Amino acid sequence: MEKKNNDEQFNKLMTIIIVISLAVLVFFLVKPLLLAIISGIILAFVFSPVYDWFYKKTNSKNLSATIVLVIIVLIIIIPIWYFTPIIIKQSIQLFSASQQIDLIVPLKKIFPSLFASDAFSTEVGIIFKNFILKTSNQVTNTLAQIILNAPVLVLQFLVVAFTFFFVLRDKEMLIEYVRSILPFSKDIEDKLFNYSKSITSSVIYGQIFIGIIQGIIAGIGFFIFGVPNALFLTLLAIVASMIPMIGPVLIWVPVVIYLFIAGNNFSAIGVAIFGIFASSIDNFLKPIFISRRTRMHSSLVLIGMIGGLFLFGILGFILGPLILAYLLVILEIYRNKKTPGLIIVENTEKK
């Protein structure tokens, strides 16, 4: 009997060792494609309602997933093909022009006592110029790397497309499989999936999607009032709008100041109106997109975005908050309290 127990323990130990070894090998195997796979899964989550609509009309999973995939490819490829050369050109022009701007003169007018010393003014001017030069070099190097790595990016995009198609088509089977390997009770599993789905929607729609809308609204103001390099500034406004507690104000306020300094008062006022509208529109849109959803504290979203940016690059804007959110979801389930959570809050606003 004792020998049988020892054999069973040995077999269990060997099984665990083999599974862990294979899991480590698989991780290193898919590591170069991990971000592409995760991107495909996120896109499948975002466009799942679109797939469901087509599936009701066609009653075919393959056809519905194919239609949505074609739509996604067109949405991604056409803007990249058309706008990338323009963005590269405008980014270079913007940073070249910014190196010629003397920021000390307007700063002396705004803060005369602070910039009374010529030595201090010169030092601040050097710091500004070095910052602009370093930023422009970084942007140029990043764009150059994107062009040089175009074949790799194409392969990554193919992985995104395949992952998107199969996750969209087989999402029910995938969810059931994940449920089958989770070591939790059914009640905990239901809570985990409900919280995860809700908070993923909150981050993607409440932060990313609304941020894109805010950036586009600010960009419309740039185009209408003839701001130079408007397309690149719109892209910057979209990125800034996705960041909690920052928003498009980080982009449109410097543009307004620049226009006032240049004497374009009418354009400055017009851009400011669009900027204020863009900055405040989330107060109207968030209740629509994340009403009755579980949401994460905005400061934690910010921490997740910054950490994700350092770890994953630009995709970390989405991955960072989600990884942090899933950990907090498990902690909230473990906490199992009826009192409101500090870090994850149940939104009870009515639609």
Side-chain angles (χ1 to χ4, degrees):
M1 185 70 179
E2 184 178 347
K3 184 180 179 182
K4 184 178 180 181
N5 290 335
N6 289 337
D7 289 342
E8 288 179 356
Q9 289 178 358
F10 177 76
N11 290 335
K12 287 181 180 179
L13 179 62
M14 289 303 298
T15 302
I16 292 171
I17 292 173
I18 291 171
V19 170
I20 292 175
S21 301
L22 289 174
V24 171
L25 289 174
V26 169
F27 171 76
F28 283 107
L29 180 68
V30 302
K31 185 181 177 182
L33 305 172
L34 195 57
L35 291 182
I37 293 170
I38 295 173
S39 300
I41 294 172
I42 292 173
L43 282 173
F45 178 87
V46 172
F47 286 90
S48 181
V50 181
Y51 165 82
D52 292 338
W53 186 85
F54 277 109
Y55 181 63
K56 288 179 181 178
K57 300 294 182 183
T58 63
N59 201 28
S60 171
K61 290 186 176 182
N62 284 321
L63 179 59
S64 301
T66 302
I67 293 172
V68 179
L69 178 60
V70 171
I71 293 172
I72 293 299
V73 170
L74 292 176
I75 289 174
I76 294 174
I77 294 297
I78 292 177
I80 288 177
W81 181 267
Y82 180 76
F83 291 121
T84 297
I86 301 173
I87 290 173
I88 292 174
K89 180 182 177 181
Q90 290 192 1
S91 64
I92 295 172
Q93 289 176 345
L94 179 65
F95 286 111
S96 297
S98 63
Q99 293 177 25
Q100 310 301 321
I101 297 175
D102 187 3
L103 294 172
I104 302 301
V105 174
L107 287 174
K108 280 185 175 181
K109 293 180 180 179
I110 300 172
F111 308 105
S113 58
L114 183 62
F115 289 89
S117 171
D118 291 335
F120 177 75
S121 300
T122 303
E123 189 67 26
V124 172
I126 292 172
I127 292 172
F128 272 123
K129 285 186 178 180
N130 288 337
F131 172 76
I132 292 171
L133 182 62
K134 186 176 180 180
T135 305
S136 61
N137 288 336
Q138 185 67 37
V139 171
T140 304
N141 291 335
T142 301
L143 294 172
Q145 286 297 320
I146 291 174
I147 294 171
L148 291 173
N149 294 328
V152 176
L153 292 176
V154 171
L155 293 176
Q156 296 273 11
F157 183 75
L158 288 175
V159 174
V160 172
F162 278 110
T163 304
F164 173 80
F165 177 86
F166 288 110
V167 170
L168 201 60
R169 190 192 66 178
D170 303 323
K171 57 183 179 178
E172 291 87 1
M173 295 173 59
L174 182 62
I175 291 172
E176 285 303 316
Y177 178 77
V178 172
R179 281 179 176 271
S180 69
I181 60 176
L182 288 176
F184 305 121
S185 65
K186 190 176 186 305
D187 182 51
I188 297 295
E189 283 180 10
D190 292 338
K191 285 184 179 180
L192 181 62
F193 272 84
N194 290 335
Y195 270 126
S196 299
K197 182 179 179 181
S198 188
I199 207 165
T200 301
S201 299
S202 176
V203 170
I204 292 177
Y205 296 119
Q207 203 64 51
I208 306 301
F209 185 68
I210 292 177
I212 292 173
I213 294 175
Q214 287 181 289
I216 290 174
I217 291 172
I220 291 172
F222 299 154
F223 279 100
I224 290 177
F225 295 98
V227 176
N229 307 308
L231 182 60
F232 184 68
L233 289 171
T234 302
L235 182 63
L236 294 179
I238 289 173
V239 174
S241 299
M242 295 179 186
I243 304 174
M245 298 179 286
I246 294 180
V249 67
L250 185 68
I251 306 301
W252 67 261
V253 167
V255 171
V256 169
I257 294 172
Y258 165 78
L259 292 172
F260 272 123
I261 293 173
N264 299 327
N265 295 341
F266 177 75
S267 297
I269 293 171
V271 170
I273 292 172
F274 273 87
I276 292 170
F277 179 62
S279 299
S280 59
I281 197 173
D282 65 325
N283 296 324
F284 305 100
L285 293 180
K286 278 189 177 179
I288 297 174
F289 285 102
I290 62 174
S291 178
R292 293 189 177 276
R293 295 187 188 277
T294 304
R295 55 186 175 84
M296 190 164 60
H297 198 281
S298 57
S299 61
L300 291 174
V301 177
L302 177 62
I303 292 171
M305 282 185 169
I306 295 174
L309 185 64
F310 285 125
L311 187 60
F312 301 111
I314 191 67
L315 190 60
F317 263 59
I318 301 175
L319 293 183
L322 290 180
I323 292 171
L324 187 57
Y326 297 150
L327 171 62
L328 298 178
V329 162
I330 294 175
L331 291 177
E332 286 294 289
I333 292 173
Y334 175 76
R335 195 174 72 99
N336 196 26
K337 299 288 186 181
K338 296 297 182 183
T339 54
L342 174 65
I343 51 181
I344 292 183
V345 183
E346 193 76 34
N347 194 342
T348 58
E349 292 179 17
K350 294 182 179 179
K351 289 183 181 181

